[in-house]
Amino acid sequence: MIRRLLLALALLLAAAPAFAVNPDEVLPDPALEARARTISAELRCMVCQNQSIDDSNADLARDLRLLVRKRLADGDSDKQVLDYIVSRYGEFVLLKPRFTEKTLLLWGAPVTLFVFGGLALVVYARRRAGKPTGTRLTPEEEARLSEILDK
């Protein structure tokens, strides 16, 4: 029983995705490598488009990882590295776009939709509150109701 459980666990772990950073890309300085990993996690693979360059096996992602590490090794700050990559590939390369005039609509749309949706619900509820619901009782129903209430 334990062997089967261990075999199942091994198969599950073998199927788990591995980071795409190759051993030859890793910087010798652990602090610089940690910074490189942090920056790489923020950059989109332009081939895969839904993965960070840290998780992608694409050649372009490898080139970007190497570029990030080279810039860090040359003494650039994290912001300078990100600005350099964005200047070459555009804002789309960032997995989380920055808040600028260009992205105002992107960041403001959910809030705007939420506010307008709430206002629409309030207006709809207020208009509906004044209107009667159902139909008027027939004279037979009114007689039956008063007969029941009098008992």
Side-chain angles (χ1 to χ4, degrees), residues 107-123:
W107 288 104
V111 174
T112 305
L113 288 174
F114 183 75
V115 168
F116 280 124
L119 288 174
L121 284 174
V122 167
V123 168

Side-chain angles (χ1 to χ4, degrees), residues 8-87:
L9 183 62
L11 289 174
L12 285 174
L13 290 176
F19 286 116
V21 177
N22 298 322
D24 63 330
E25 298 174 19
V26 177
L27 292 171
D29 182 6
L32 278 180
E33 180 60 27
R35 286 176 56 201
R37 290 288 180 111
T38 302
I39 293 170
S40 294
E42 296 177 26
L43 297 173
R44 178 189 318 271
C45 173
M46 301 303 279
V47 176
C48 309
Q49 294 193 3
N50 237 5
Q51 285 183 321
S52 71
I53 62 170
D54 216 18
D55 298 332
S56 174
N57 287 321
D59 290 335
L60 180 61
R62 175 180 164 71
D63 293 343
L64 283 173
R65 287 193 303 267
L66 291 173
L67 180 61
V68 166
R69 283 165 173 74
K70 180 186 179 315
R71 300 289 299 196
L72 287 174
D74 289 346
D76 285 0
S77 69
D78 294 1
K79 183 177 180 340
Q80 288 172 322
V81 173
L82 283 173
D83 289 343
Y84 180 80
I85 301 288
V86 168
S87 72

